[in-house]
Amino acid sequence: MVHWSAEEKQLIATVWGKVNVEECGAEALARLLIVYPWTQRFFASFGNLSSPTAIVGNPKVRAHGKKVLTSFGEAVKNLDNIKSTYAKLSELHCEKLHVDPENFRLLGDILIIVLASHFGRDFTPACQFAWQKLVGVVAHALARKYH
Amino acid sequence: MVLSSSDKSHVKGIFTKMTPNMDSYGAETLERMFMTYPQTKTYFPHFDMQHGSAQIKAHGKKVAAALVEAANHIDDISGTLSKLSDLHAQKLRVDPVNFKLLGQCFLVVVAIHHPSLLTPEVHASLDKFLCTVGSVLTAKYR
């Protein structure tokens, strides 16, 4: 089980409380597809991903980004139980979606940059540490049921 | 990985805007890296790691200067950083994984101080540039 200090929990909750899940989710997924274009391989059904502008404006990208970050919120709500929170999703990503877990790490890193751009100096080094730890734990949990 | 001409112009453009504060961005990048990825401190056992440390400021300035040099000579990063590449291969031998960690923290610093400049396109170019720098610095490792 992951240990979270009181300070880490506080930093995570404070940031999450101010996050616009729809906007940040859409932005994070769009940036993932733009910065690491090979990740587009999972989204052939999303239509026009032919340019950064197309990706940012793509309604399926926006919707899926919102869905992904909303799910992330489950980790924030269940910091002491992230492994079981994501057990089913982990199976899904392995068996149905066939997503290389490296992609979870890439998305996590992108999310950190999106948060940094929204929160500016409020995204202190301590904040970055707590959030980088969280995205790592989420990535690990999502990879856990792979076989 | 090849830097396209638009990658190069994105990188040069954003570095121009960052130049006045590059020294402090270098220090902040290191501070964030040491805090976020504590294992990176193993390369600096002699450093005072407190916020505002003179050693972190000085070393941050050096790191920033190297990135600026690479950006200013973006058509020949491996030539420009050749001596630094030798140094990392022969003396420093920083494990290659750590350049990604430094790159991530540098992007966070850019995102914090210049969010409007870090468009998705610029973000992609800057990420590619940082990967290229990391590759150059580890190119002579073996």
Side-chain angles (χ1 to χ4, degrees):
Chain A
M1 211 191 76
V2 184
H3 172 75
W4 300 96
S5 73
E7 196 205 354
E8 286 163 5
K9 288 188 175 185
Q10 169 82 314
L11 289 167
I12 288 168
T14 305
V15 167
W16 188 252
K18 299 182 196 156
V19 164
N20 179 325
V21 171
E22 179 164 2
E23 282 308 315
C24 278
E27 192 181 343
L29 186 62
R31 281 181 187 258
L32 180 75
L33 299 174
I34 292 165
V35 177
Y36 307 114
W38 53 93
T39 57
Q40 292 169 26
R41 70 190 299 285
F42 300 109
F43 302 102
S45 64
F46 273 29
N48 188 3
L49 299 178
S50 60
S51 70
T53 310
I55 291 170
V56 167
N58 184 310
K60 285 187 172 175
V61 171
R62 290 193 67 85
H64 196 69
K66 178 182 175 183
K67 185 177 184 185
V68 168
L69 199 59
T70 301
S71 166
F72 202 88
E74 291 303 303
V76 176
K77 277 190 275 196
N78 296 288
L79 287 177
D80 292 326
N81 220 348
I82 292 180
K83 274 202 286 245
S84 42
T85 301
Y86 285 128
K88 285 247 135 55
L89 260 184
S90 178
E91 284 168 12
L92 179 78
H93 281 77
C94 171
E95 291 160 15
K96 290 262 150 55
L97 305 178
H98 310 294
V99 176
D100 177 348
E102 180 59 23
N103 292 284
F104 309 141
R105 280 159 221 125
L106 291 179
L107 182 62
D109 281 353
I110 295 265
L111 179 61
I112 298 290
I113 291 165
V114 170
L115 292 176
S117 70
H118 283 256
F119 289 90
R121 283 187 177 87
D122 287 348
F123 198 67
T124 61
C127 227
Q128 185 182 349
F129 173 80
W131 273 86
Q132 204 76 58
K133 181 175 169 180
L134 177 60
V135 301
V137 169
V138 169
H140 183 85
L142 281 172
R144 200 162 165 270
K145 295 292 192 179
Y146 273 56
H147 58 89
Chain B
M1 170 175 43
V2 173
L3 293 175
S4 69
S5 51
S6 65
D7 286 329
K8 292 178 185 180
S9 83
H10 286 153
V11 171
K12 280 174 158 331
I14 199 165
F15 264 76
T16 305
K17 296 269 161 53
M18 294 195 298
T19 304
N21 294 302
M22 265 318 273
D23 288 354
S24 79
Y25 293 161
E28 190 181 345
T29 296
L30 287 182
E31 189 185 351
R32 282 179 182 272
M33 187 185 71
F34 292 142
M35 262 200 87
T36 306
Y37 309 108
Q39 67 272 24
T40 55
K41 292 187 290 185
T42 57
Y43 293 97
F44 303 92
H46 51 296
F47 263 31
D48 166 15
M49 289 296 181
Q50 297 213 57
H51 176 67
S53 133
Q55 285 170 309
I56 294 186
K57 279 200 174 113
H59 198 68
K61 194 172 166 183
K62 268 195 231 172
V63 171
L67 291 174
V68 167
E69 266 301 278
N72 286 343
H73 299 93
I74 203 164
D75 289 321
D76 183 21
I77 296 178
S78 49
T80 303
L81 298 184
S82 180
K83 289 226 156 58
L84 256 187
S85 180
D86 291 337
L87 182 72
H88 281 78
Q90 292 154 19
K91 188 150 174 276
L92 304 178
R93 293 171 292 183
V94 172
D95 191 284
V97 73
N98 293 287
F99 297 97
K100 263 197 223 168
L101 306 183
L102 181 75
Q104 168 75 355
C105 292
F106 184 73
L107 285 169
V108 166
V109 169
V110 175
I112 286 171
H113 296 282
H114 300 277
S116 55
L117 295 180
L118 195 68
T119 62
E121 294 90 326
V122 171
H123 179 171
S125 299
L126 201 46
D127 192 85
K128 281 174 80 176
F129 168 74
L130 293 166
C131 284
T132 304
V133 169
S135 293
V136 165
L137 291 177
T138 57
K140 303 177 197 177
Y141 272 30
R142 54 177 173 170

